[in-house]
Amino acid sequence: MEIPLWEIVNVDQTLVQNKIWEIINNTIAQKILLVLICVSLFWKMIRYMCGLLHQEKEPVTVLVTGAAGQIGYALVAMIARGAMLGPNQPVILHMLDIEPAAEALKGVKMELMDAALPLLRGIVASTDVAEACKGVNIAVMLGGFPRKEGMERKDVMSKNVSIYKAQASALEKHAAADCKVLVVANPANTNALILKEFAPSIPDKNITCLTRLDHNRALAQISERTKVHITDVKNVIIWGNHSSTQYPDVNHATVQEKPVREVVGDDEWLNNDFIATVQQRGAAIIKARKLSSALSAASSACDHIRDWVLGTPKGSWVSMGVYSDGSYDIQPGLIYSFPVTCEKGEWSIVQGLEIDAFSREKMDKTAQELIEEKELAKSCLH
């Protein structure tokens, strides 16, 4: 019996259609499978990246000398809260003070423990300089001998030479090889120079002193005068010594991207009262509160280290007391405050700024004071 042609054609068409649907279904299934695989891989990548972001960093060990004092008491809490190294950087605090302050130091340690600070991974409170300096990555030197009534400059310098010689030797022997040092205790510039002398293995660029407090004071004065937020004031400079001879310079500073001199419109104030106010601010605070600057000094120390380690914002510079390389005709070998930018843990002196005759005189005057302090320190050593 013959099968009609039209039935054969229908059967073939049905087979073809079934085959086509089979192919289409297989293709769709393959695409769906491929999409699911891609989504799965993408999700795994996201989880991996999130894991990297939340991966805990190794703790940084920070030494604070004179930790039981006013500045130290304010500073250690700021460090432990992330104000110095950022909100994701765990820290181990090493606190050093003299034997008569041992009980007060113990009390500071107790308070740090009671604060239950998440970033704080360990505390060492000691009167032993070798123990305190062991393995430190950052050292903030607050401890020093203050000048007392009736004391000659040489007497004060002699005391500080002895202190910084001992602490420098301990850092030389026990600190991490890449240890960064910030000297705060006065005379800060020359104390830093003494420390450098007795810790020769610490690179010159790793020993600095604090002039960020003066820098911040200058920003605050301009902010108040121009009635703008302090973040709108940029690129003031503190040249020279952390003393009453320092030179707060606004010739390259801006307020909301406009030159400070143009915005203020009062050169008489900028060249006289402004400079004197910044130079004498520490004395004014002592007169007002009967104690020296502590909160602002601690905050400025955090600012100094944070910008040094994490970098300065693009287009901005800060002031740091650093080892002079002869820039701006400042005698090499002094610890002198310059405008600097920081990147990847390294500072660089800002070059090419125009220096007028007024600024030159002020810069040379404060440099001369540092030269005299250096000679006085040498005479104490001998």
Side-chain angles (χ1 to χ4, degrees):
M1 178 179 175
E2 291 186 7
I3 300 172
L5 182 61
W6 62 269
E7 287 188 13
I8 296 172
V9 171
N10 284 342
V11 170
D12 288 345
Q13 284 180 342
T14 302
L15 288 172
V16 169
Q17 286 174 352
N18 289 340
K19 193 65 178 176
I20 290 170
W21 278 112
E22 184 181 340
I23 292 168
I24 290 171
N25 288 333
N26 286 340
T27 303
I28 292 171
Q30 287 173 356
K31 286 182 177 179
I32 291 171
L33 183 62
L34 183 61
V35 168
L36 289 173
I37 291 169
C38 289
V39 168
S40 176
L41 288 172
F42 184 65
W43 177 243
K44 286 181 178 179
M45 287 175 65
I46 289 174
R47 290 180 64 187
Y48 176 72
M49 295 301 291
C50 288
L52 288 179
L53 288 173
H54 290 93
Q55 191 173 15
E56 188 168 291
K57 299 178 181 178
E58 284 294 312
V60 171
T61 301
V62 182
L63 166 68
V64 177
T65 72
Q70 275 200 96
I71 302 174
Y73 184 71
L75 179 60
V76 291
M78 292 182 186
I79 296 170
R81 281 196 171 277
M84 178 177 280
L85 296 170
N88 299 313
Q89 178 59 65
V91 294
I92 297 171
L93 272 173
H94 284 205
M95 303 188 297
L96 174 69
D97 219 310
I98 56 176
E99 193 62 45
E103 278 301 304
L105 190 63
K106 182 180 176 182
V108 176
K109 179 179 179 179
M110 290 163 66
E111 286 208 67
L112 284 169
M113 292 169 63
D114 294 348
L117 299 161
L119 292 175
L120 189 56
R121 291 291 186 267
I123 311 169
V124 173
S126 181
T127 57
D128 182 342
V129 66
E131 180 186 16
C133 290
K134 189 173 182 179
V136 301
N137 306 110
I138 294 169
V140 184
M141 318 299 284
L142 305 178
F145 195 90
R147 187 171 183 176
K148 297 179 180 178
E149 192 174 347
M151 289 186 73
E152 296 294 330
R153 281 181 71 208
K154 187 169 183 177
D155 297 331
V156 180
M157 188 67 74
S158 180
K159 293 280 188 184
N160 280 296
V161 164
S162 176
I163 291 167
Y164 276 84
K165 181 178 179 181
Q167 293 183 354
S169 299
L171 285 171
E172 171 78 7
K173 291 176 184 175
H174 304 291
D178 60 349
C179 180
K180 286 178 164 59
V181 182
L182 168 61
V183 177
V184 178
N186 289 320
N189 300 57
T190 302
N191 284 343
L193 202 60
I194 296 164
L195 191 145
K196 179 193 167 299
E197 184 74 21
F198 291 98
S201 71
I202 298 177
D204 294 345
K205 292 199 76 169
N206 281 23
I207 297 176
T208 65
C209 79
L210 186 71
T211 56
R212 183 61 175 270
L213 176 55
D214 309 301
H215 182 99
N216 288 350
R217 287 167 171 168
L219 292 175
Q221 290 301 308
I222 298 298
S223 168
E224 185 178 40
R225 182 78 175 193
T226 57
K227 295 180 171 57
V228 302
H229 192 268
I230 200 159
T231 55
D232 290 325
V233 186
K234 292 182 173 64
N235 295 347
V236 298
I237 302 170
I238 302 298
W239 299 100
N241 199 2
H242 176 61
S243 74
S244 59
T245 67
Q246 65 177 261
Y247 171 44
D249 178 6
V250 297
N251 288 324
H252 309 281
T254 61
V255 173
Q256 295 176 336
E257 308 304 325
K258 296 177 182 178
V260 163
R261 289 193 180 275
E262 177 186 315
V263 176
V264 172
D266 188 347
D267 285 349
E268 177 67 22
W269 180 78
L270 287 169
N271 291 343
N272 293 284
D273 289 353
F274 164 73
I275 292 174
T277 299
V278 176
Q279 288 174 335
Q280 301 295 333
R281 189 67 163 183
I285 289 169
I286 290 172
K287 184 178 180 182
R289 69 185 295 262
K290 307 300 184 283
L291 293 165
S292 62
S293 309
L295 177 64
S296 56
S299 179
S300 299
C302 287
D303 291 344
H304 177 112
I305 296 291
R306 185 186 63 250
D307 285 344
W308 188 3
V309 173
L310 302 180
T312 47
K314 190 175 181 181
S316 297
W317 61 65
V318 294
S319 301
M320 289 172 59
V322 299
Y323 197 67
S324 173
D325 60 0
S327 293
Y328 296 101
D329 296 325
I330 300 303
Q331 184 182 106
L334 297 176
I335 302 287
Y336 187 98
S337 182
F338 289 95
V340 304
T341 57
C342 304
E343 186 176 8
K344 296 178 181 176
E346 299 286 337
W347 56 261
S348 301
I349 296 172
V350 177
Q351 298 294 337
L353 298 176
E354 187 175 338
I355 306 298
D356 62 19
F358 179 84
S359 297
R360 183 78 266 165
E361 182 184 352
K362 297 283 187 185
M363 290 164 67
D364 289 345
K365 180 180 179 181
T366 191
Q368 184 57 42
E369 182 181 53
L370 284 170
I371 292 168
E372 291 169 6
E373 283 188 11
K374 182 179 179 180
E375 293 306 312
L376 184 59
K378 278 185 177 179
S379 70
C380 293
L381 286 170
H382 297 151

